[in-house]
Amino acid sequence: MDSRPTTRPDRRTFAIISHPDAGKTTLTEKLLLFGGAIHAAGEVKARGQARRARSDWMKIEQQRGISVTSSVMTFERDGLTFNLLDTPGHEDFSEDTYRTLTAVDSAVMVIDAARGIEAQTRKLFEVCRLRSVPIITFVNKVDREGRHPFDLLDEIASDLALDVSPMNWPVGMGGTFEGLYNLETKQLTKPDGTTAPADLSGHDPVGEELALIDAGYAAFDEVAYRHGDLTPVFFGSALKDFGVSELIDALARFAPSPRPQPAEPEAVSPDDAAVTGFIFKVQANMNPMHRDRVAFMRLCSGKFKRGMKLNQVGTGKAIAVHSPILFFAQNRETAEEAWPGDIIGIPNHGTLRVGDTLTDGPPKTITGLPNFAPEILRRIALKDPTKTKQLRKALDDLAEEGIIQVFYPEVGSAWVVGVVGQLQLEVLISRLEVEYKVDAKLEPSPWDTARWLAGDARDIDAFATIHRGALARDRDGALVFMAKDAWELNYVKERNPNLRFSATKERA
Ligand code: G4P
C-alpha cells in the first residue's frame, strides 16, 4: 500500500517580474538563502553543481546539453513549499517569459527605488493583469538614495492603475536609512536586524509621513489583492537583506495556493483526483546532435508519481513519464511525486507543445494560454530557394516551441516571422542554420504589427475582399491582420467596429 500522505501539501508558485538591473537575481538568491535552499548568497552556482551531479536532470543536461538549471527554483519555509519560476527577463525577453506567467499563481514585482516603474516591468505587469495574477511589490535598494516613497507609490498607482497599500515604511533612505517600520506591528527593524516596537510620531519627517499614509492609501485588502486590483508594497534591499523576510512572510500569508484552472468542458480543481497539467514552456536541445526537448508542465490537480502515463488531450496519445525532471526543495531530493502547483520537466522528442493539456483522467483542455502579438516582424528569405520545404518545417517547429511566431500571407510567398524580443531573431537564424541546415536571412517587413481577427464570418469575408493583401494565417491557420503601423491599425479598427482585432490568441 502507498503509505505516502494523501492530503495535498500547499504550494506558493510565483515568478518575479522586473526590469533588468532592478535586483531580480539578488532577490532570488536571497529568497533561496532565507528558505535554506542555499547556504550563502553567490552559492547558487557552486552548490547547484554539487547537487546536480546527483539528480537526473543534471544527467539530462550533461548528456544532451539542455539547460534547465534555473527554470524552477524551490525552497521551503515554515512547512510551505515555494516554487519560484524564472522569467528570463533580459535581452532574451520572449514569449517564453510571457508564458511562464501563465503557470504561476502570483508574482512579485521588483522596482528599483531610484527608477520606479520601467518599460519591461510595465509589459510583464500587463500580462499579469490579463490573468488577474495577484502582485506583491518589492521596492528595492532603499539602502541607496532613491525617490521619495510617496512618489513611488503614486507612480505605481497611476501607471498601473492599481490600488497600493504600503506594508512597511523606510525610515530614511541611503545614508540616512535607519530601518524599516512595519505598519502592521508598529515595529522598527534596524539595519543590524534587531526588531523592536517604536514610536516614530515625533520623528521628523517620518511621523508626518506615517500620518499621511493612514489618510492617503488603502488598507491592505486580501480580496482586492487576490483579484489583482491592489498591490501590497514592501520597501527593502535585497542586497542588504532588508525586508526580504517580510516579503517571504507575505507570500506565505497572502499569496494564493494553486487555484482552479479554467478548462473546457469544466475547470480543473487542485483537489481533483485525476492528474492534470499543462505545458507552458518547451525548451529545445542546445545540442544539435539530439532532437530532444524538455516540456515544462505545471501540475494543476492530482498527485503525480514518476512513471505515470498521461494522455495528451487532443491527440489522445499516451505519454509515459519515466524520467521526469522533478524540482525539489532541499529536503525532498529523493521524492518521487509532485503536487498541484509543482512543475515537472518532461523530456520528449517534440511530441509535446506549449498549450497542451496532459491528464490521466477524462479529457479536459486547459484554457487561458494565449499567444501574444509580436512586436517585431521580419520577412524571411531563403538564400537557396530549393529549401522551401525545410524552411516551412523549421518555422513550424520553432513556432511550436514558442521561439517565434510565423505568418503565411494570403497573397504572395514571402513568409513573415514575428517575435517580441530582438534576440529571438538571432536564435532563429542560428538554429535554422545549425539544426535545419537552412541558410536564411531576414528582411524588413512591410508590416509593423499583427492582430488576430475574429468576428462574424460574413463580416470577415467582406473585410478580406478589401484587405486581402494584409491578411495572413498563423501556423494554426488562424486569420491575422497585418498593419503597417499603429496608426493604420487604429484606423482600420475604427472602420470595422464589428470585428475584433486581438493582441492575444488563445490556443486553438
Ligand atoms: P537583475 O537580476 O534584476 O538584472 O538585477 P541584479 O540582481 O543583477 O542587480 C543589479 C545590480 O543591482 C547589481 O549590481 C546588484 O548588486 C545591485 N543590487 C541589487 N539589489 C540591491 C540593493 O538592495 N541595493 C543596492 N545598493 N544594490 C542592489 P551590479 O554592480 O550591477 O552587479 P554586482 O557587481 O554587484 O553583482
Side-chain angles (χ1 to χ4, degrees), residues 135-173:
I135 291 174
I136 297 178
T137 301
F138 188 78
V139 178
N140 192 27
K141 308 194 187 182
V142 297
D143 58 309
R144 287 208 308 224
E145 294 301 330
R147 283 163 53 186
H148 194 280
F150 282 138
D151 197 20
L152 290 160
L153 290 175
D154 294 346
E155 183 175 275
I156 300 168
S158 65
D159 250 39
L160 306 183
L162 264 185
D163 283 337
V164 291
S165 179
M167 305 299 277
N168 67 4
W169 200 251
V171 179
M173 266 197 207

Side-chain angles (χ1 to χ4, degrees), residues 284-285 287-293 348-350 393 397 431 434-436:
N285 196 346
N287 180 344
M289 300 302 288
H290 301 272
R291 310 284 305 170
D292 296 12
R293 293 149 192 222
N348 70 102
H349 302 285
K393 161 96 175 73
D397 276 2
R431 289 192 53 188
V434 177
E435 288 175 39
Y436 295 90

Side-chain angles (χ1 to χ4, degrees), residues 18-27 90 140-144 236-240:
S18 63
H19 191 84
D21 272 349
K24 187 177 79 171
T25 311
T26 312
L27 182 64
H90 297 87
N140 192 27
K141 308 194 187 182
V142 297
D143 58 309
R144 287 208 308 224
S237 161
L239 191 66
K240 299 281 164 73

Side-chain angles (χ1 to χ4, degrees), residues 237-291:
S237 161
L239 191 66
K240 299 281 164 73
D241 299 347
F242 305 154
V244 177
S245 215
E246 288 84 338
L247 177 66
I248 302 183
D249 288 345
L251 279 165
R253 277 171 73 193
F254 310 131
S257 320
R259 297 189 277 190
Q261 191 77 34
E264 297 292 343
E266 54 177 348
V268 175
S269 158
D271 294 319
D272 291 349
V275 170
T276 305
F278 66 90
I279 308 295
F280 65 94
K281 165 180 170 140
V282 173
Q283 194 158 325
N285 196 346
M286 309 313 275
N287 180 344
M289 300 302 288
H290 301 272
R291 310 284 305 170

Side-chain angles (χ1 to χ4, degrees), residues 41-58:
E43 241 185 84
V44 171
K45 230 173 156 186
R47 184 171 158 75
Q49 272 151 9
R51 173 130 58 100
R52 271 183 254 139
R54 296 200 298 275
S55 61
D56 39 325
W57 47 277
M58 182 55 183

Side-chain angles (χ1 to χ4, degrees), residues 164 188 191 277 460 481 499:
V164 291
L188 180 70
I460 290 189
F481 171 68
L499 294 177

Side-chain angles (χ1 to χ4, degrees), residues 368-398:
L369 309 168
N371 282 103
F372 294 90
E375 293 178 6
I376 303 171
L377 294 173
R378 291 284 181 274
R379 259 187 171 148
I380 185 149
L382 276 172
K383 292 186 187 154
D384 172 2
T386 63
K387 296 265 189 161
T388 310
K389 230 168 102 188
Q390 287 90 329
L391 178 64
R392 174 128 193 177
K393 161 96 175 73
L395 293 178
D396 281 347
D397 276 2
L398 296 171

